[in-house]
Amino acid sequence: MGYRNALLFRWSRRDRLTVVVVAVTAAFLIGTVLLLFTAVTYSETFAEPLANSGTVTYHEAENGPPDASGNVTVLPTATASANGTEVRLVGIPPDAPRVLVEGSAQWQEGRLPTIPDGVDARGPVSQQRTRAVSGSNGTVSLSVVPPERGTTFLSDRWYATNASTAQRVGVTGYFVIDRSPSGTGLGSLPSAGAPLVSALLYVLGGLEQVLWALGVAAAAGGLLVLIVVYNVTRMSVRDRLEAIRVVRSTGAPGWRVGLLFTLRAGLLVTTGVVLGYAVGLVLIKALVNVAIYVGLPIALDVTVSGQSATVVAAVAGIFVLMGLAAGGLAAYPAATRPPASLGSRHARSGRSGRSTLSRVRGWVAPTFLSWRSVVPTAATLTVFGITFLLVVSLAGLASPLGGNAGGTGTITQAGAPHPLNSRLDAEYASALRADGTPASPEIIYAQVSDGQPYMAHGAEYGLFANVTGATLVDGRRPQRYDEAVVGSDLARTLDVGVGDELTVSGSVKPGIRRVTIVGRYDAPGTLDDLLILPLDSAADLATGRGQVHMIRVEGPVSGITDGAPDGATRSGAVVTGISGPARVVSGDTVNLSVTVRNVGNERATREVTVRYRGERQTTTVAVPPGQERTGTVSFETSALGTWNATAGEYAHSVTVVSPNAIEIPDQLPSQAPPGSGLSVPVVTKTGDRVSNATVTVNGPSLRTGASGVAVVPLPREPGNYTITARSGDQTATHDIQVVRGAQRELYGEVSVSPSSGSVLTTPTLRVGLANPWQEPLVRDVRVVGPGVSRNRTVYMPPGNATQTRFSPDGGRGQPGTYTYRVTANGTTLATTAYTVTGDRRLASAVASSGSYAAGTPIERSVEGVFGNVQLILGVLVVLSALSTVGSTTATFAQGVHARRQAIGIHRSTGATQWRVLRTVLADIARIAVPATALALGLSVLALQALERAGWLVFFGFRLSARTPPTVLAAIFVGGVSLALFGALVATVPYLTASPVSLLPSGDRTRTPDEAGEPRRHGDD
């Protein structure tokens, strides 16, 4: 039993080195697997209802109606035309469940719209209308009411109708909704269709793809283990050849000897795996704790359970099986050859026949080592090369290590834990563009299609292309809400092209959209892997109207660099306008309001100074994040005239008038039909009505009532007349022309407050209408201008007046003067101007209030999933390098061990330790250089093969196998350096041992790896 215990449990220094190498490799793989599995907990940043949403697929009508049994709901859809425009009708079956998404009963987005009794559809109308819809079955007249508020499951641009109505128009396809929950764990991605809520499953699908890559790394790690254990076991067998010959000659079967060495190798690997598991778990926990301590976005609890335990066990099993295989292969010759042939090999004292070799061959050929080391060295360095290339490619995707995606960067809401949690006003991009910085407001729109996660963005393609340099290579730009463009790499990943249709689901809200790809573009880096949807189409199911996740800019913005904003605008509170009365009476107080907007993420306070005629007043305004507040200052008025009040870049005009001055408004009609009755208002210069004033038109005088209006009859004879109003010693006049056939027009006025502001200012429009005639009028009234287009048919009784206030929705994207106009039946009644002022400090504040980072948003998203990805990838490279050092050490240790007698002879004949080391290192360099070149070529070919097979796609982004020459040079230098370092570690024991221990006689007493330990009886 003595030889059994010796073979199984007596481990030398190189055996302990083997345990360390296996432990390092196992620690890297097991620790990274645990980190990726626990990264699923990051999904807690998403809303709880995102977990089980069901899926939607689209079926063409030509394939027949799909089965609607079980948890399946089928919505027939028809592509038709209305008023010359292509529209989509979606039919809702009578038995369809209202709520289609589990957990969405609390929020309206998860339900189908209802069709009221007496109407045919809900659609894109402002009030009930009749629409003629033409489909494949003919034209159908539909009574349509506006979309149901609070529901976004179907697009409000679509016509939601009954299933029977869709059949009458002509069904062209079916949306098939499978409400079976898809789960939230890894492996839960639906293989067909799109999840109704995709964000969470997008993250999980990307993690699955990265885990697949780690499977390749696990196989490569197993190859390293195979090489190391094979070399070490082979040296152990060689050390004990004479003992094995004696054991087998005395009756021990060869298979038993082979089994013992195989079990010995298995024990070495099992010990290394157990140690590696402990080290990997402790290392990853330590990294997570350090990352949390320094404030990185990590929310992981690294534990081993469920699927992670299964994968960890699988990785450990691969390692142990590789170790057993290596032990068996190394022991096979000693177990199968005849006992008499074992231990009969004699080492050479030097190279025989060297004199017959040419000088070139003598210089190239190794002195001590054999060319046979090239193959295992190249295999080891190939694993390192593939790992390094994968890390570089992943770094280009998942972290700012990969550059800034063609010079672009992103601004997100300050303090948001993840770009998907960020919310910014889309108009912030207008402020940056007004300052001369190209900016594109964008919505991150995570998607999954047939099991493949990919990234869509809501954006205006023109702005996106202006920032990123994207160029259309096929098709055209989107022009409708249901059109999109696709990057060339994503087109390959999804196998789609121009003219194809895609079913797009919700990102963080459940819903269905269907888009047509009308263009394909090329862009640098990962920007080529995006589907660009119209901004409005993406907003409903991701952020909400007017909000975006981030703003893409062409580079660092003034006032902010990598998250370090200018202290002057750090609070994010900016002045956006000043307003007040247009006229005041001399001697009265003028109250001026300044508007302050907080574009930051925290409550901010801003002191604002207002100047008026050389005087200054200061007000302090506290503003909650993302909101506006006003502060008020007051000045005394005296001198008549028009004066400017200013606050920063903004100004407001104030006209000071006499307290007794009166006027007849200029908006009063300038033409009238003969004999008509006209209501004439008399007001002060500040707009107050004047009662008991006399009004005269070519005849008797009439007095104004309490409302300041007098109804006067106009002359029956055509001609030019003057209306005169008197109050005390004040007089006002208005010229009017009496013309036969003149149209009676409404009296209209429009004003905007403030009269100027920034692109972030929200002005208020005041529109007034009055019927000054003594008969009712019906008019189509429109209010038009940037961000507003309102059209109403109004009925105005005689003498009736009305007034309304509202804010435009936007549209004032650049500095300049914009006009708002009120018309009635096409005739302009009144106009007013609004000035947008560019403000560099405002643009800086917008940037400073957010968090700027170079790179694409997916780079930042993936960084949020994994924490600090740079740290993880850095550890991956370091551990891979350590594994490579261990493997090359074992490879060269086997070669040096085989030539130890030659080394002993050289040292015994006077060669110094340094000379022997130099000779060995020269041999290793001769082997390492071609081995590294071979390994580099194999690594590049392997990566290109993975790319061509479509296996280098992570989170929907296609990694490129095209490696820069600088990276290849770094891998080559690194490979040679690792080989030399491993050789140095393998050679040192033979240089420190006494020369006699290396000779044949000394070999029977002690070996270099057991220097200082006398060989005991039974070791052999």
Side-chain angles (χ1 to χ4, degrees):
M1 294 295 292
Y3 78 91
R4 296 186 181 90
N5 290 330
L7 291 181
L8 287 175
F9 302 114
R10 287 192 51 77
W11 294 352
S12 65
R13 178 164 50 193
R14 61 172 168 262
D15 294 322
R16 292 189 290 272
L17 175 63
T18 301
V19 171
V20 172
V21 172
V22 174
V24 171
T25 306
F28 152 60
L29 290 173
I30 292 174
T32 308
V33 166
L34 288 177
L35 180 65
L36 288 172
F37 267 99
T38 52
V40 177
T41 61
Y42 185 78
S43 61
E44 294 176 0
T45 61
F46 304 111
E48 187 67 26
L50 304 187
N52 300 300
S53 62
T55 59
V56 57
T57 55
Y58 184 82
H59 288 249
E60 297 288 348
E62 61 189 24
N63 298 324
D67 182 22
S69 60
N71 288 329
V72 174
T73 299
V74 176
L75 306 180
T77 178
T79 301
S81 64
N83 295 333
T85 303
E86 185 178 286
V87 297
R88 180 180 294 277
L89 279 76
V90 178
I92 302 175
D95 57 347
R98 183 79 190 284
V99 178
L100 293 178
V101 180
E102 180 181 339
S104 65
Q106 307 94 333
W107 41 304
Q108 302 299 309
E109 292 89 345
R111 59 187 176 90
L112 291 171
T114 58
I115 312 301
D117 294 336
V119 299
D120 300 308
R122 290 186 180 273
V125 296
S126 58
Q127 56 186 343
Q128 185 168 349
R129 300 284 187 185
T130 299
R131 289 284 186 263
V133 178
S134 299
S136 59
N137 288 346
T139 300
V140 177
S141 181
L142 301 180
S143 174
V144 185
V145 295
E148 185 176 358
R149 290 188 176 183
T151 61
T152 58
F153 191 87
L154 301 178
S155 171
D156 59 8
R157 309 285 185 91
W158 291 353
Y159 288 80
T161 184
N162 299 308
S164 58
T165 303
Q167 295 287 348
R168 282 196 298 149
V169 173
V171 172
T172 55
Y174 301 88
F175 289 116
V176 181
I177 300 173
D178 187 350
R179 304 190 304 280
S180 302
S182 56
T184 59
L186 293 177
S188 61
L189 244 65
S191 58
L196 291 176
V197 184
S198 294
L200 176 59
L201 293 179
Y202 167 83
V203 174
L204 297 179
L207 290 176
E208 286 185 1
Q209 293 172 329
V210 175
L211 283 174
W212 175 90
L214 283 183
V216 175
L223 179 60
L224 289 179
V225 171
L226 178 65
I227 294 172
V228 171
V229 176
Y230 175 81
N231 286 324
V232 171
T233 305
R234 188 176 178 185
M235 285 187 282
S236 299
V237 171
R238 181 173 294 175
D239 283 343
R240 293 165 172 80
L241 281 176
E242 294 183 8
I244 295 172
R245 181 180 60 183
V246 173
V247 170
R248 290 192 57 195
S249 298
T250 56
W255 66 265
R256 180 176 296 173
V257 174
L259 178 61
L260 287 173
F261 277 102
T262 301
L263 293 177
R264 173 190 176 92
L267 284 175
L268 290 175
V269 175
T270 302
T271 304
V273 168
V274 172
L275 179 61
Y277 167 76
V279 172
L281 187 59
V282 171
L283 177 63
I284 296 302
K285 282 182 174 288
L287 289 176
V288 169
N289 291 333
V290 170
I292 293 174
Y293 177 78
V294 299
L296 296 176
I298 292 182
L300 305 180
D301 181 18
V302 182
T303 56
V304 181
S305 61
Q307 286 181 307
S308 62
T310 302
V311 176
V312 167
V315 172
I318 290 174
F319 276 35
V320 173
L321 289 176
M322 287 291 188
L324 292 172
L329 289 173
Y332 181 78
T336 57
R337 287 168 53 191
S341 66
L342 298 177
S344 61
R345 297 180 61 185
H346 298 285
R348 296 170 297 170
S349 60
R351 178 177 290 107
S352 62
R354 181 184 176 96
S355 60
T356 63
L357 299 176
S358 65
R359 290 184 178 182
V360 174
R361 185 177 178 183
W363 180 83
V364 173
T367 300
F368 291 124
L369 303 181
S370 170
W371 283 111
R372 288 178 297 179
S373 299
V374 170
V375 174
T377 303
T380 299
L381 293 177
T382 299
V383 173
F384 170 76
I386 292 175
T387 303
F388 194 91
L389 289 175
L390 278 175
V391 167
V392 170
S393 299
L394 283 170
L397 165 70
S399 75
L401 285 177
N404 57 1
T408 69
T410 57
I411 298 174
T412 57
Q413 184 182 11
H418 185 280
L420 286 174
N421 303 114
S422 170
R423 293 295 185 274
L424 291 175
D425 191 326
E427 286 296 317
Y428 289 0
S430 300
L432 295 170
R433 291 195 300 272
D435 187 49
T437 300
S440 170
E442 297 181 23
I443 294 171
I444 302 172
Y445 204 80
Q447 286 293 292
V448 176
S449 176
D450 296 336
Q452 171 62 57
Y454 71 95
M455 181 58 66
H457 271 202
E460 183 182 334
Y461 177 76
L463 298 178
F464 172 82
N466 188 41
V467 174
T468 62
T471 56
L472 277 177
V473 294
D474 191 12
R476 57 174 176 82
R477 294 187 177 191
Q479 298 174 353
R480 286 167 43 94
Y481 70 95
D482 56 356
E483 295 179 342
V485 292
V486 65
S488 294
D489 278 351
L490 182 60
R492 291 173 53 201
T493 301
L494 299 181
D495 191 23
V496 296
V498 175
D500 291 340
E501 290 187 342
L502 276 179
T503 299
V504 179
S505 59
S507 179
V508 295
K509 299 178 182 179
I512 304 171
R513 301 294 185 265
R514 183 85 172 161
V515 297
T516 301
I517 298 176
V518 297
R520 178 173 60 86
Y521 70 88
D522 284 343
T526 55
L527 297 171
D528 208 35
D529 294 89
L530 299 176
L531 179 71
I532 305 300
L533 304 169
L535 198 61
D536 289 344
S537 297
D540 285 342
L541 300 181
T543 57
R545 292 294 176 93
Q547 290 186 321
V548 296
H549 287 123
M550 58 94 182
I551 296 174
R552 187 189 304 277
V553 293
E554 203 170 55
V557 187
S558 174
I560 183 167
T561 303
D562 292 335
D566 180 9
T569 55
R570 193 180 187 92
S571 69
V574 293
V575 178
T576 58
I578 180 173
S579 60
R583 294 183 180 185
V584 295
V585 174
S586 176
D588 286 351
T589 297
V590 56
N591 297 316
L592 301 170
S593 297
V594 288
T595 305
V596 178
R597 186 164 189 166
N598 184 358
V599 297
N601 194 39
E602 298 178 355
R603 188 177 182 86
T605 301
R606 180 71 183 266
E607 286 191 354
V608 184
T609 299
V610 181
R611 296 173 175 83
Y612 174 77
R613 295 196 66 212
E615 299 182 34
R616 294 186 177 187
Q617 297 284 351
T618 300
T619 181
T620 301
V621 185
V623 192
Q627 299 187 30
E628 282 186 346
R629 293 291 186 270
T630 59
T632 303
V633 295
S634 300
F635 294 93
E636 296 294 330
T637 62
S638 55
L640 302 180
T642 301
W643 315 97
N644 278 337
T646 60
E649 300 289 326
Y650 309 105
H652 174 71
S653 295
V654 179
T655 300
V656 181
V657 297
S658 168
N660 299 322
I662 63 172
E663 66 179 4
I664 299 173
D666 292 336
Q667 292 83 359
L668 202 66
S670 58
Q671 286 188 342
S676 57
L678 182 66
S679 297
V680 179
V682 180
V683 297
T684 66
K685 291 288 187 179
T686 58
D688 296 329
R689 299 299 179 97
V690 178
S691 60
N692 205 32
T694 59
V695 179
T696 303
V697 182
N698 193 35
S701 297
L702 300 172
R703 290 192 175 272
T704 60
S707 62
V709 176
V711 179
V712 296
L714 295 179
R716 295 183 177 275
E717 294 296 326
N720 295 325
Y721 299 91
T722 299
I723 302 174
T724 303
R726 291 184 176 84
S727 177
D729 58 353
Q730 300 295 317
T731 302
T733 60
H734 177 78
D735 293 331
I736 191 169
Q737 186 179 22
V738 176
V739 180
R740 298 188 189 276
Q743 296 294 320
R744 292 175 171 82
E745 298 294 346
L746 293 176
Y747 165 95
E749 60 180 14
V750 60
S751 62
V752 60
S753 178
S755 59
S756 68
S758 73
V759 292
L760 299 186
T761 303
T762 303
T764 299
L765 283 176
R766 184 179 66 85
V767 178
L769 294 174
N771 179 7
W773 309 101
Q774 294 306 297
E775 60 181 80
L777 298 178
V778 178
R779 295 288 187 270
D780 288 330
V781 177
R782 294 193 65 194
V783 181
V784 294
V788 59
S789 179
R790 298 195 175 192
N791 188 11
R792 283 186 60 186
T793 299
V794 298
Y795 171 79
M796 300 289 291
N800 181 257
T802 183
Q803 189 176 96
T804 184
R805 297 173 182 264
F806 59 91
S807 296
D809 295 330
R812 306 162 306 279
Q814 298 292 335
T817 300
Y818 299 85
T819 300
Y820 292 97
R821 178 179 290 103
V822 178
T823 65
N825 284 10
T827 300
T828 299
L829 302 182
T831 61
T832 189
Y834 176 72
T835 302
V836 177
T837 304
D839 188 345
R840 179 171 294 273
R841 289 176 295 178
L842 172 59
S844 177
V846 170
S848 301
S849 67
S851 174
Y852 174 83
T856 66
I858 183 57
E859 292 170 348
R860 304 187 64 205
S861 300
V862 177
E863 183 176 359
V865 174
F866 294 109
N868 193 352
V869 178
Q870 302 99 303
L871 184 63
I872 302 300
L873 296 179
V875 171
L876 188 153
V877 172
V878 171
L879 292 179
S880 176
L882 290 176
S883 300
T884 304
V885 168
S887 301
T888 53
T889 299
T891 299
F892 288 119
Q894 193 272 339
V896 175
H897 180 76
R899 301 290 292 151
R900 66 190 183 282
Q901 295 175 11
I903 294 174
I905 293 173
H906 276 70
R907 290 189 58 195
S908 298
T909 56
T912 63
Q913 293 174 321
W914 167 245
R915 182 177 178 181
V916 173
L917 176 62
R918 185 174 57 189
T919 304
V920 172
L921 291 180
D923 285 354
I924 293 169
R926 293 186 181 100
I927 294 172
V929 169
T932 305
L934 177 61
L936 186 58
L938 292 175
S939 301
V940 173
L941 289 176
L943 203 66
Q944 289 179 346
L946 292 175
E947 181 189 31
R948 291 177 182 176
W951 291 345
L952 290 185
V953 180
F954 302 96
F955 292 91
F957 291 82
R958 183 176 293 272
L959 304 187
S960 174
R962 295 183 294 275
T963 307
T966 54
V967 175
L968 296 178
I971 296 176
F972 183 83
V973 173
V976 173
S977 301
L978 291 176
L980 291 174
F981 184 77
L984 180 62
V985 174
T987 306
V988 166
Y990 298 92
L991 298 178
T992 57
S994 62
V996 69
S997 67
L998 304 177
L999 299 176
S1001 59
D1003 186 64
R1004 284 189 280 272
T1005 57
R1006 61 180 62 182
T1007 58
D1009 63 308
E1010 295 174 329
E1013 298 181 14
R1015 186 181 298 276
R1016 297 176 176 84
H1017 178 71
D1019 283 3
D1020 295 331

